[in-house]
Amino acid sequence: MKKARKILIFVVLPAILLVASMMLFIAGDGEEEAEMAKGPITIFWAEWDPANYLQELCNIFTDETGIVANVETTPWSDFQVKAFNEFAAHSDAYDIVVGDSQWLGRGATQGHYIELTDWIKERGVDKSMAPATIVAYAEYPKGSGRYWAVPVEGDACGWSYRKDKFEDPKEKAAFKKKYGYELDIPDTWYQLRDIAEFFYRPEENFYGVAIYTQKDYDAITMGIENVLWAWGADLGDYDTYKVKGILNSRAGIESLEFYKELYKFCPPDWVNAFFPENNMAMTEGIASMSMNYYAFFPALANPEMSKYADVTGYFAMPEGPAARVAALGGQGASIITYSKKQGAAFEWLEWFVKPENQSKWGDLGGYTCDLKTLKSEKFLNMTPYNRSFMETMQMVKDFWAVPEYAELLESCQRYWSGYVVADQFTAKEAMDGIAEEWEVIFEKYGYYD
Amino acid sequence: MSDTNVVLKKRGLSDLAIKRLFILPTLVLLISIFVVFPLFWSLGMSFMDYSAVRPQVKGVNPKWIGNQNYKDVLLDPHIWKYFSLTLRFVIMAVAGEFLIGFGVALLLNRDFKAKGLITTLILLPMMMSMAVVGFFWKLLYNPGWGIINYILGLGEFVWLANPKMTLISITITDIWMWSPFTMLLALAGLSAIPKHLYEAAEIDRASWWFKFRRITLPLVSPLLLIALIFRTMEAFKMFDIAYVMTGGGPGTTTELIAINLYRLAFAQWNTGKASAFGYIVLIMIIAISNIYIKYLNKVKEM
Amino acid sequence: MPTVSQTSRRGRVAHWIIIIIVLVIMLIYLIPIYWVVTTSFKPFKAVTAIPPKVLFRPEITSYVKLFTKRSIVRSEEELVEKRASAKWYERRVLQQGQTITGMSPFPNRLFNSFISAIVSTIAAVALGTFTAYGFSRFKVKGEGDLLFLILSTRMLPPVVVTIPLFLMYRFLGLTDTRFGLILLYTLMNVSFVTWVMKGFIDEIPKEYEEAAMVDGYTRFEAFRKIVLPQAVTGIAATSVFCFIFAWNEYAFALIMTTRRAQTAPPFIPSQFGVGVVDWGMIAAGASIFLIPVAVFTFLLRKHLLRGVTFGAIRK
């Protein structure tokens, strides 16, 4: 009997204790859940400044309505994986997701997002927000008039540049002598190339330009889109899904070759560059111009973050041989089908689209898509880049928003990065390869039926 | 009461009971949670056209497509490129970790003050989170403000942006992080070698090389092999450091299989094909480690 | 002909040369870590200075930022007003035009890391040692296959098991719970422990236990009083490895947990500042995060060295 007791003490008891303590952890978690009858709602976004601004806006919402709203974030690199993992499991962890525009196809066709068409039309949100943003962040399929999200953060690619260098009389004279025209904000991509070449001075640790080159997610694609469209080529026909002859047209190949030429004037190690790197190029003063999303410009204008904040200027995408286009970024808020607090989530959305709150959103630093706020003098003068942002939002274009966008991205990221930074292909091989693979993907998912 | 009962009672639980009590919990947990469900689920899905994010519709998602996924993976020329890339990485990294780890262990295998402290300090790299390590080496490799070029006086030498150097850069980071592991195992093996063997050799005036080849090497080889098994397995699955440092780029110069697999499974949500790919990788790892283990058993018997 | 004292002197010189080489090697290993730690004390702009700054005035702003949620001060008046009543740590971030609005989730994440790593290590080592003993001392049908099966759980590319595990966890209500994470880490480690501890226990002569049992010990008592004390070194070494694994695990923590149970590793690299990477904050997080595991290893260093033989060396 004694032995049995010993076994009891040494095996069974610790085991019970272990299980019990683990149960306690679960129970502890459960209690938290029981308290939240209405709210708090959880809004999921990526880890960046606008998410912090949104949290501040949510705090105002909480003060006014009593419903707690928390903004939950994850790094950009994990954003898509995390969100769709939760969708796949029909999880109610998030009530609202501020998702990338490319996600709309998946969210809508795979049943993760609640359709907001009637809700948006009743409230006239489709009229009060900039039309381009409604199409980009809310509508799927494009042109159908069906909406799945409310635009939250409008965003697109723009440029920052070093005003002091551009305005330096000595530089201006030298530039004029070399290129035969005044050094100024570039009107065309060719001028931008000249300036990049002009300022490319490795011996001074100063370089011409910083562009997107990273292979991860959609980085280099976002950069190349700007030139691709400016040269008159396109990613394909958005209605018939035909790609061959459009993407790998002469214009398409030329634009890609142009992008690679710009890459020559980048700082060394510019192979894995996306928004943090391109911002760093300005804050460290190693590039004369840097491409980036407007949402990342606040750091450049902040003297605490950037040594060159006072001498940094901003301009919108230059004109190409065929057009002037900027690649779209930005996100819209969608309500998740699996949320158990949809009532509170709708209340938040209702509150968010009110003009006065859109104006607060703009004040906090969010890129509102609300027309009235966008066009107000207050917004335009709030930062040195808001005016060029307003200009840019009139000429935006977006990547495919089909549910299979990630497969399309994998293919073009591989070829474009392979051509531009790794010399694994020629421009033609890259474009032909993408066109070929994309059509196979479209074929596989029945877009040609 | 019979005799056997008395004996059993006297001896507490029977051996059979102990055996079951000891082994079953692990097996049941492992098999039920880690093996049966995920493995069989993935195995099933590897024969289906299936995407985990799409709504489940019988006959459409998932849809039985036989061995199409396996064919797709094995016939994809890109994937073979990634395999050879991974193999290159594994060989470079494991060889580097082996040589450096063993070398440092040979140097450390003597008595001196603060040996424990110094050994522990050298072990620090392997205690860090891989994601953080990858992140920080990006800072160290930076041509401008990176400390590596500064110390080595390489000026603006480009590490990660240089298609020829990227894989090597990642390998260096991996070696820095994991050679301490081989070092630790080798050191443990070395310190377990009985001193009298060396003393005997000393009397015979054996050369240093002879002692190393005839005494040191045979006696540490089982542990070195274990270190090799673990490192090879881990290097084959290498994800965090490479993903954080290069994201598989530039181009496809560092697209290791684990990174490609991750893209297939999570960015593209091609669950079926990813499962098939995963199984192919698993079979390769099992094959390689089986060779090692066979060899290890042989060495142990010697 | 060299005299005895000469050889020993030469030996001593060689000894010191080797010690110096060892110290140099140690320094090479430590430079990146040194750089992480110093980066955490650098002022924001000094991190990316060219050439790299070795000397600077250390400040703990990064640590303050790591532990707090902050928002931007939007007007001069607000800044002046805030400055008047600021505490020392508030003043640190005010310099960067920010004000503290609350605690960051970092302490909570750190706590989760502690719980998950400690509990899972104890559980894995206990379970694994039992299993190893079972395999070592009794005939088990298909032993080789079972052992290989146990090891193969560690060979799987994590991606293959993540999706089904996630779906299963969701079904069982285990996602985002500490218990779920602990269970996962325990299972990941138990295969390693079993495999390693079997080697150790194989080396402990069976005769000791048999003798003890003849003296009236039960099998369990023999295990506890004879086998365990001899296996202590191995257990300690194995625990270190389990702890390091669970402490640093990233992928599962990221996917399986969202906020209540999330550990620190997914949190640390996500600390972006205002549009640029805040290296200081990441470095601060990494430095704090390295301390517990380093201390744990240092305390068990003696066992580690002897115990890491994994039973592969005959004594």
Side-chain angles (χ1 to χ4, degrees), chain B residues 10-13 15-16 18-19 21-23 25-27 29-35 37-39 41-42 50 52 100-101 104 107-108 110-112 115-132 135-140 144-147 150-151 156 175-176 179-181 184-185 187-189 191-192 219-220 222-223 226 229-230 233-234 237 240 258 261-262 265-266 269 271 274-275 278-279 281-282 285-286 289-290 293 296 300-301, chain C residues 15 18-19 21-23 25-26 28-33 35-36 39 47-52 54 127-131 133-135 138-140 146 148-165 167-169 183-184 187-188 190-192 194-196 199 203 213 216-220 223 241 244 247-248 250-252 254-255 265 268-269 272 277 279 282-283 286 289-290 293-294 297-298 301 304-306 308-314:
Chain B
K10 188 168 172 263
R11 298 187 59 189
L13 291 173
D15 276 6
L16 188 69
I18 288 262
K19 177 171 122 186
L21 194 67
F22 276 19
I23 295 180
T26 303
L27 279 185
L29 274 174
L30 271 176
I31 288 183
S32 62
I33 295 183
F34 246 108
V35 182
F37 181 72
L39 271 185
W41 189 89
S42 313
Y50 177 64
I100 293 176
V104 176
L107 291 178
L108 273 175
R110 61 199 66 240
D111 284 323
F112 56 90
K115 181 181 172 185
L117 179 70
I118 289 176
T119 315
T120 319
L121 283 175
I122 294 182
L123 290 181
L124 279 179
M126 66 174 231
M127 291 172 209
M128 299 186 79
S129 149
M130 298 236 266
V132 173
F135 216 79
F136 252 92
W137 275 75
K138 251 167 91 171
L139 182 72
L140 301 178
W145 48 82
I147 185 84
Y150 183 66
I151 289 181
E156 296 260 309
I175 292 176
W176 172 79
S179 56
F181 177 77
L184 178 65
L185 262 63
L187 194 56
S191 50
L219 284 170
V220 280
L223 267 177
I226 290 183
I229 294 177
F230 277 104
M233 265 162 52
E234 298 292 318
K237 296 191 293 182
D240 306 37
L261 184 54
Y262 173 82
F266 288 109
W269 287 96
T271 316
S275 302
Y279 261 87
V281 175
L282 176 65
I285 296 182
I286 287 181
S289 40
N290 241 330
I293 289 175
L296 174 69
K300 266 172 110 174
E301 276 159 22
Chain C
H15 178 76
I18 287 175
I19 301 287
I21 296 175
V22 164
L23 286 176
I25 290 173
M26 183 188 80
I28 294 174
Y29 272 110
L30 289 185
I31 284 171
I33 293 173
W35 205 247
V36 172
T39 299
V47 174
T48 48
I50 305 173
V54 181
L127 268 180
T129 309
F130 284 141
T131 314
Y133 182 79
F135 274 115
F138 306 112
K139 276 218 171 74
V140 180
L146 281 176
F148 198 75
L149 182 80
I150 286 177
L151 189 65
S152 74
T153 54
R154 247 187 119 88
M155 294 180 194
L156 272 176
V159 174
V160 183
V161 284
T162 316
I163 299 177
L165 264 183
L167 296 177
M168 180 171 70
Y169 263 47
L183 191 65
L184 204 59
L187 289 172
M188 293 294 288
V190 85
S191 62
F192 174 75
T194 307
W195 207 69
V196 167
E203 296 302 310
M213 282 192 288
Y217 278 32
T218 63
R219 170 66 86 172
F220 188 77
F223 169 72
F241 281 103
I244 291 177
W247 184 250
N248 287 323
Y250 177 82
F252 284 119
L254 179 76
I255 301 288
I268 294 170
F272 282 93
V277 179
W279 294 100
I282 298 170
F289 204 60
L290 183 59
V293 71
T297 313
F298 185 72
R301 68 187 183 282
L304 190 61
L305 203 52
R306 272 182 293 140
V308 84
T309 52
F310 296 154
I313 300 275
R314 289 185 194 280

Side-chain angles (χ1 to χ4, degrees), chain A residues 102-240:
Chain A
Q102 301 103 296
W103 298 4
L104 278 173
R106 269 189 192 166
T109 60
Q110 299 173 353
H112 308 310
Y113 293 168
I114 290 181
E115 184 164 358
L116 300 173
T117 311
D118 297 334
W119 189 92
I120 280 183
K121 283 185 177 154
E122 271 167 35
R123 284 155 188 82
V125 176
D126 49 340
K127 303 281 179 309
S128 67
M129 301 240 180
T133 65
I134 285 284
V135 173
Y137 304 130
E139 192 177 40
Y140 190 87
K142 303 297 174 196
S144 66
R146 291 178 72 186
Y147 302 122
W148 306 87
V150 169
V152 172
E153 174 85 1
D155 202 357
C157 278
W159 290 89
S160 53
Y161 73 103
R162 282 288 291 282
K163 268 198 295 198
D164 54 337
K165 299 265 181 189
F166 275 51
E167 285 161 10
D168 185 341
K170 257 190 262 162
E171 303 282 8
K172 268 181 140 33
F175 186 87
K176 180 135 196 211
K177 206 172 144 204
K178 191 168 176 194
Y179 297 96
Y181 61 93
E182 281 296 324
L183 171 62
D184 204 348
I185 292 175
D187 292 325
T188 69
W189 277 100
Y190 293 118
Q191 290 180 359
L192 189 138
R193 193 213 78 95
D194 289 346
I195 299 170
E197 184 185 54
F198 179 69
F199 281 117
Y200 182 72
R201 295 162 191 174
E203 66 285 355
E204 291 172 28
N205 196 28
F206 194 72
Y207 302 90
V209 64
I211 54 175
Y212 292 158
T213 56
Q214 196 174 63
K215 202 196 161 197
D216 212 20
Y217 196 38
D218 62 359
I220 193 171
T221 302
M222 291 297 128
I224 289 177
E225 277 177 355
N226 293 309
V227 286
L228 185 75
W229 289 320
W231 258 250
D234 208 334
L235 296 168
D237 186 323
Y238 283 30
D239 294 322
T240 62

Side-chain angles (χ1 to χ4, degrees), chain C residues 28 38 85 103 169 172 217 220 243 245 258 275 279 310-311 315:
Chain C
I28 294 174
T38 51
S85 62
M103 275 286 255
Y169 263 47
L172 297 172
Y217 278 32
F220 188 77
F243 190 80
F245 170 82
T258 46
W279 294 100
F310 296 154
K315 297 204 179 73

